[in-house]
Amino acid sequence: MTVYSPITVGEALECLSGGAIPMAGGTDLSLRLRSSEKRPDLVLLDRIESMKWISLRGDYLALGACATWQRVIDSPLIADEVPLLAMVAFSVGGPALRHMGTVGGNICTASPGADGLCSLWALGAEVCIRSVDSARSLSIDDFILGPGKTALEPGELLTEILVPLSPGWRPFFRKDGLRRAMAISVGSCAAIWKPSEDGGSVEEIRMVLGSMGPVPVRSLSAETAMAGASLSDEGLFRSAGDMLSSEVKPIDDIRASRAYRVELARNYPMIFRSSAVVADV
């Protein structure tokens, strides 16, 4: 096994073109390698400073794929411009993991329960992909194909995430697990929503659920039901919950049953409503 440690994206891409695989924080990949008989060549990305930057680029926040979750937490720019991502970052593992784990790694692991994935999905993020001789971008919902599966081709590297700015929209995030921290989610819900001028109703909303199917679940019908709804109208949010519960496709596993997750999905619009009412008081 050969381990490469490039300092530029170009050097990393040259190494990847020879069949090596990338490794950022390694919080997930190192566990998989430990339990595998294969010993592939590795390209360590931790020395590539250009993949750690966080900056504004027009109407987008540009986030290097090797930015750690701790860097997200520490960024005043993210707190001001994309507060949903800052909220989610605090739910990722514990301090040690947040200092190692990266946003790009969280995406490429493509776990249905990945903390960052449903929030970036709700934010309408795009991923930027490069190889030695090409560059392309995909919406995150086109990039994630299934559990552990992405649209990355051999020799390609996710280098950057672009998050559209949503001025005037508010964040909501809820993670449910078997304990309050250091837990893989049983279910999660990330949303951004635009309140009416008087703050009493939902003008628009994007809501995405995690751990509720092979990929994050976004229900356009539930969003349509909530759009224009008064926060005092419980019935509309209960109806949206019924729509969500009919569209999710969770599984039974060691953390929760399918039936429990379906009920959790049904409750998320009402939990969102309660949070929005309290925030407006």
Side-chain angles (χ1 to χ4, degrees), residues 45-63:
L45 306 176
D46 60 307
R47 297 175 65 208
I48 306 177
E49 291 301 319
S50 64
M51 289 182 65
K52 301 176 184 179
W53 294 342
I54 299 170
S55 62
L56 288 180
R57 189 178 303 159
D59 295 330
Y60 291 85
L61 181 132
L63 182 67

Side-chain angles (χ1 to χ4, degrees), residues 15-233:
C15 298
L16 292 173
S17 67
I21 63 173
M23 181 171 176
T27 56
D28 182 77
L29 181 59
S30 59
L31 295 176
R32 283 189 280 156
L33 291 176
R34 190 181 303 168
S35 60
S36 172
E37 295 182 358
K38 296 181 180 179
R39 291 294 181 266
D41 293 344
L42 296 177
V43 182
L44 305 184
L45 306 176
D46 60 307
R47 297 175 65 208
I48 306 177
E49 291 301 319
S50 64
M51 289 182 65
K52 301 176 184 179
W53 294 342
I54 299 170
S55 62
L56 288 180
R57 189 178 303 159
D59 295 330
Y60 291 85
L61 181 132
L63 182 67
C66 286
T68 64
W69 288 106
Q70 189 60 47
R71 184 167 289 208
V72 170
I73 290 171
D74 293 339
S75 170
L77 190 58
I78 289 182
D80 291 340
E81 302 292 346
V82 192
L84 175 60
L85 199 56
M87 293 171 68
V88 169
F90 280 102
S91 78
V92 177
L97 189 146
R98 290 195 289 268
H99 277 83
M100 291 293 294
T102 65
V103 178
N106 197 253
I107 294 170
C108 290
T109 298
S111 166
D115 291 312
L117 207 49
C118 63
S119 63
L120 291 166
W121 205 289
L123 289 162
E126 299 176 15
V127 295
C128 301
I129 301 163
R130 286 181 57 185
S131 67
V132 168
D133 54 10
S134 67
R136 61 190 179 116
S137 62
L138 291 172
S139 64
I140 198 163
D141 47 314
D142 286 331
F143 181 72
I144 303 298
L145 305 180
K149 297 178 182 178
T150 72
L152 275 179
E153 299 289 344
E156 288 188 326
L157 180 66
L158 190 158
T159 57
E160 191 174 49
I161 302 101
L162 298 178
V163 181
L165 301 180
S166 305
W169 291 59
R170 297 179 184 178
F172 168 80
F173 181 67
R174 164 89 177 208
K175 176 178 176 176
D176 291 282
L178 299 183
R179 55 191 180 197
R180 293 179 65 86
M182 294 291 290
I184 297 173
S185 68
V186 167
S188 60
C189 176
I192 55 172
W193 65 288
K194 186 176 183 180
S196 59
E197 288 189 12
D198 63 4
S201 62
V202 177
E203 204 167 286
E204 296 179 67
I205 187 169
R206 290 172 60 96
M207 179 177 283
V208 178
L209 306 190
S211 295
M212 294 291 174
V215 300
V217 177
R218 181 184 176 198
S219 169
L220 296 179
S221 59
E223 290 178 1
T224 299
M226 289 184 281
S230 168
L231 293 173
S232 63
D233 191 342

Side-chain angles (χ1 to χ4, degrees), residues 240-252:
D242 290 339
M243 294 173 190
L244 273 174
S245 69
S246 68
E247 294 184 31
V248 296
K249 295 182 172 117
I251 60 171
D252 295 307

